[in-house]
Amino acid sequence: GQQVMQIPQYQHVQEGEDFTTYCNSSTTLSNIQWYKQRPGGHPVFLIQLVKSGEVKKQKRLTFQFGEAKKNSSLHITATQTTDVGTYFCAGGGASGTYKYIFGTGTRLKVLA
Amino acid sequence: DAGVTQSPTHLIKTRGQQVTLRCSPKSGHDTVSWYQQALGQGPQFIFQYYEEEERQRGNFPDRFSGHQFPNYSSELNVNALLLGDSALYLCASSFNRVTEAFFGQGTRLTVV
């Protein structure tokens, strides 16, 4: 079945450093979503990418969807302590299926 | 405007018992998806309800069943509980199945 892996599993950075998490699917995706989950909280939607090669920015966050629509990345510039949490990608399957397969997540810690 | 609400927030059950979890979607949403999130893992898709029918299902046994009501609220039922069913159960609502998902705070189920 479809699998979505993320690397790294954990990342500790100093405040102000950059951070990137990578998401790889075993199958071609129709779209990909990114979520952030704070410790003890629930996933919060960040963005959805649909087009091959698409790049979207939200302030310090840059999201990219691969040309083959099988991988994606989230890059945070100049991390802040408020960025702490686990970042999940969720891959939407081929047309006609509506379930999202969540990745394994990357837990980010930001040291002040 | 209320977001996604889930009840109860916490629940302790004994092995072999049955449990029902409830979810009210965000106003205007017609699709409800249920996820199981074990500690330190990403959410695992259980199933999705749209137009009062189960439309998609993940790799969960028949012990997991659900229902969607005409007002779009939903229930998740788990029979013959196992220790391994202990997890955070998340409900996510969306519109027309493919838009961004809004998650509830979850129900923490502990099976002893």
Side-chain angles (χ1 to χ4, degrees):
Chain A
Q2 180 187 3
Q3 290 187 327
V4 179
M5 302 297 293
Q6 280 182 256
I7 55 170
Q9 188 176 4
Y10 300 97
Q11 184 82 58
H12 294 183
V13 299
Q14 287 291 136
E15 190 173 21
E17 291 183 338
D18 292 356
F19 159 77
T20 304
T21 174
Y22 300 91
C23 176
N24 293 288
S25 170
S26 59
T27 59
T28 302
L29 302 170
S30 61
N31 66 87
I32 195 159
Q33 298 178 342
W34 284 90
Y35 293 82
K36 175 183 178 183
Q37 186 172 22
R38 293 182 180 273
H42 60 279
V44 175
F45 176 85
L46 294 176
I47 208 159
Q48 177 170 292
L49 304 171
V50 179
K51 299 177 183 175
S52 169
E54 188 171 13
V55 178
K56 285 189 176 180
K57 292 190 176 185
Q58 288 181 351
K59 297 182 180 179
R60 296 180 293 106
L61 278 61
T62 302
F63 303 83
Q64 189 165 7
F65 201 10
E67 293 290 342
K69 301 183 77 172
K70 294 182 72 174
N71 56 71
S72 181
S73 65
L74 158 60
H75 179 82
I76 301 178
T77 303
T79 55
Q80 300 175 357
T81 54
T82 53
D83 296 325
V84 164
T86 301
Y87 293 85
F88 292 101
C89 62
S95 177
T97 68
Y98 298 98
K99 63 181 181 182
Y100 283 85
I101 304 299
F102 275 72
T104 46
T106 296
R107 185 178 298 177
L108 173 65
K109 278 194 174 181
V110 180
L111 307 172
Chain B
D1 178 25
V4 180
T5 57
Q6 291 186 243
S7 63
T9 54
H10 295 83
L11 203 52
I12 300 176
K13 287 287 189 178
T14 305
R15 274 182 301 174
Q17 283 188 315
Q18 178 263 344
V19 69
T20 297
L21 310 181
R22 294 176 176 82
C23 171
S24 292
K26 180 178 168 63
S27 177
H29 284 185
D30 57 7
T31 304
V32 173
S33 300
W34 286 92
Y35 293 84
Q36 180 195 67
Q37 187 174 27
L39 204 58
Q41 304 293 318
Q44 299 293 311
F45 178 83
I46 303 175
F47 42 53
Q48 181 186 79
Y49 277 85
Y50 173 71
E51 293 184 336
E52 301 180 51
E53 289 189 20
E54 183 184 295
R55 300 290 181 166
Q56 296 283 333
R57 189 177 183 93
N59 296 326
F60 280 80
D62 292 344
R63 298 187 297 110
F64 289 77
S65 64
H67 189 77
Q68 185 178 36
F69 299 94
N71 66 354
Y72 307 118
S73 67
S74 177
E75 288 182 349
L76 163 65
N77 300 293
V78 187
N79 293 323
L81 285 167
L82 305 173
L83 295 179
D85 294 332
S86 295
L88 179 68
Y89 287 85
L90 294 162
C91 165
S93 76
S94 57
F95 177 70
N96 201 23
R97 299 195 269 183
V98 295
T99 58
E100 64 185 89
F102 287 78
F103 281 83
Q105 294 286 353
T107 294
R108 174 72 62 187
L109 173 65
T110 302
V111 182
V112 297

